[in-house]
PDB file of all heavy atoms in Angstrom:
ATOM      1  N   PHE A  79      -0.316-148.372 -60.149  1.00  0.00           N
ATOM      2  CA  PHE A  79      -0.386-149.146 -58.872  1.00  0.00           C
ATOM      3  C   PHE A  79       0.630-148.786 -57.849  1.00  0.00           C
ATOM      4  O   PHE A  79       0.496-149.221 -56.775  1.00  0.00           O
ATOM      5  CB  PHE A  79      -0.394-150.556 -59.202  1.00  0.00           C
ATOM      6  CG  PHE A  79      -1.445-151.035 -60.254  1.00  0.00           C
ATOM      7  CD1 PHE A  79      -1.018-151.289 -61.565  1.00  0.00           C
ATOM      8  CD2 PHE A  79      -2.798-151.187 -59.906  1.00  0.00           C
ATOM      9  CE1 PHE A  79      -1.903-151.669 -62.515  1.00  0.00           C
ATOM     10  CE2 PHE A  79      -3.742-151.447 -60.858  1.00  0.00           C
ATOM     11  CZ  PHE A  79      -3.398-151.810 -62.134  1.00  0.00           C
ATOM     12  N   ARG A  80       1.749-148.144 -58.295  1.00  0.00           N
ATOM     13  CA  ARG A  80       2.792-148.106 -57.328  1.00  0.00           C
ATOM     14  C   ARG A  80       2.585-147.238 -56.009  1.00  0.00           C
ATOM     15  O   ARG A  80       2.900-147.738 -55.034  1.00  0.00           O
ATOM     16  CB  ARG A  80       4.050-147.304 -58.173  1.00  0.00           C
ATOM     17  CG  ARG A  80       5.375-147.469 -57.461  1.00  0.00           C
ATOM     18  CD  ARG A  80       6.454-147.139 -58.406  1.00  0.00           C
ATOM     19  NE  ARG A  80       6.370-145.836 -58.996  1.00  0.00           N
ATOM     20  CZ  ARG A  80       7.437-145.142 -59.500  1.00  0.00           C
ATOM     21  NH1 ARG A  80       8.711-145.826 -59.428  1.00  0.00           N
ATOM     22  NH2 ARG A  80       7.449-144.010 -60.082  1.00  0.00           N
ATOM     23  N   GLN A  81       1.931-146.078 -56.151  1.00  0.00           N
ATOM     24  CA  GLN A  81       1.434-145.301 -54.952  1.00  0.00           C
ATOM     25  C   GLN A  81       0.480-146.128 -54.090  1.00  0.00           C
ATOM     26  O   GLN A  81       0.824-146.069 -52.818  1.00  0.00           O
ATOM     27  CB  GLN A  81       0.955-144.005 -55.371  1.00  0.00           C
ATOM     28  CG  GLN A  81       0.568-143.055 -54.083  1.00  0.00           C
ATOM     29  CD  GLN A  81       1.724-142.792 -53.254  1.00  0.00           C
ATOM     30  OE1 GLN A  81       2.596-141.996 -53.701  1.00  0.00           O
ATOM     31  NE2 GLN A  81       1.856-143.461 -52.128  1.00  0.00           N
ATOM     32  N   GLY A  82      -0.530-146.764 -54.658  1.00  0.00           N
ATOM     33  CA  GLY A  82      -1.373-147.520 -53.790  1.00  0.00           C
ATOM     34  C   GLY A  82      -0.734-148.586 -53.054  1.00  0.00           C
ATOM     35  O   GLY A  82      -1.045-148.894 -51.911  1.00  0.00           O
ATOM     36  N   ASN A  83       0.135-149.274 -53.784  1.00  0.00           N
ATOM     37  CA  ASN A  83       0.908-150.327 -53.137  1.00  0.00           C
ATOM     38  C   ASN A  83       1.820-149.831 -51.964  1.00  0.00           C
ATOM     39  O   ASN A  83       1.894-150.441 -50.814  1.00  0.00           O
ATOM     40  CB  ASN A  83       1.795-151.128 -54.149  1.00  0.00           C
ATOM     41  CG  ASN A  83       1.013-151.973 -55.044  1.00  0.00           C
ATOM     42  OD1 ASN A  83      -0.117-152.382 -54.804  1.00  0.00           O
ATOM     43  ND2 ASN A  83       1.582-152.199 -56.360  1.00  0.00           N
ATOM     44  N   GLN A  84       2.436-148.663 -52.146  1.00  0.00           N
ATOM     45  CA  GLN A  84       3.266-148.124 -51.165  1.00  0.00           C
ATOM     46  C   GLN A  84       2.429-147.836 -49.901  1.00  0.00           C
ATOM     47  O   GLN A  84       2.792-147.953 -48.669  1.00  0.00           O
ATOM     48  CB  GLN A  84       4.095-147.044 -51.640  1.00  0.00           C
ATOM     49  CG  GLN A  84       4.974-146.316 -50.637  1.00  0.00           C
ATOM     50  CD  GLN A  84       5.866-145.166 -50.989  1.00  0.00           C
ATOM     51  OE1 GLN A  84       5.209-143.990 -51.144  1.00  0.00           O
ATOM     52  NE2 GLN A  84       7.036-145.437 -51.391  1.00  0.00           N
ATOM     53  N   THR A  85       1.266-147.158 -50.267  1.00  0.00           N
ATOM     54  CA  THR A  85       0.368-146.705 -49.110  1.00  0.00           C
ATOM     55  C   THR A  85       0.019-147.985 -48.289  1.00  0.00           C
ATOM     56  O   THR A  85      -0.032-148.001 -47.089  1.00  0.00           O
ATOM     57  CB  THR A  85      -0.780-146.129 -49.589  1.00  0.00           C
ATOM     58  OG1 THR A  85      -0.454-144.946 -50.364  1.00  0.00           O
ATOM     59  CG2 THR A  85      -1.828-145.752 -48.541  1.00  0.00           C
ATOM     60  N   ALA A  86      -0.407-149.102 -48.992  1.00  0.00           N
ATOM     61  CA  ALA A  86      -0.785-150.340 -48.231  1.00  0.00           C
ATOM     62  C   ALA A  86       0.405-150.861 -47.388  1.00  0.00           C
ATOM     63  O   ALA A  86       0.127-151.387 -46.301  1.00  0.00           O
ATOM     64  CB  ALA A  86      -1.256-151.364 -49.186  1.00  0.00           C
ATOM     65  N   ILE A  87       1.559-150.750 -47.907  1.00  0.00           N
ATOM     66  CA  ILE A  87       2.707-151.285 -47.230  1.00  0.00           C
ATOM     67  C   ILE A  87       2.960-150.460 -45.899  1.00  0.00           C
ATOM     68  O   ILE A  87       3.155-151.000 -44.801  1.00  0.00           O
ATOM     69  CB  ILE A  87       4.015-151.293 -48.054  1.00  0.00           C
ATOM     70  CG1 ILE A  87       3.892-152.342 -49.197  1.00  0.00           C
ATOM     71  CG2 ILE A  87       5.212-151.521 -47.218  1.00  0.00           C
ATOM     72  CD1 ILE A  87       4.986-152.114 -50.250  1.00  0.00           C
ATOM     73  N   VAL A  88       2.893-149.229 -45.918  1.00  0.00           N
ATOM     74  CA  VAL A  88       3.054-148.408 -44.781  1.00  0.00           C
ATOM     75  C   VAL A  88       2.114-148.644 -43.707  1.00  0.00           C
ATOM     76  O   VAL A  88       2.229-148.771 -42.527  1.00  0.00           O
ATOM     77  CB  VAL A  88       3.102-146.904 -45.255  1.00  0.00           C
ATOM     78  CG1 VAL A  88       3.206-145.944 -43.915  1.00  0.00           C
ATOM     79  CG2 VAL A  88       4.311-146.655 -46.015  1.00  0.00           C
TER      80      VAL A  88
END
Side-chain angles (χ1 to χ4, degrees):
F79 305 106
R80 194 163 57 159
Q81 181 59 74
N83 289 337
Q84 187 183 71
T85 299
I87 290 170
V88 172

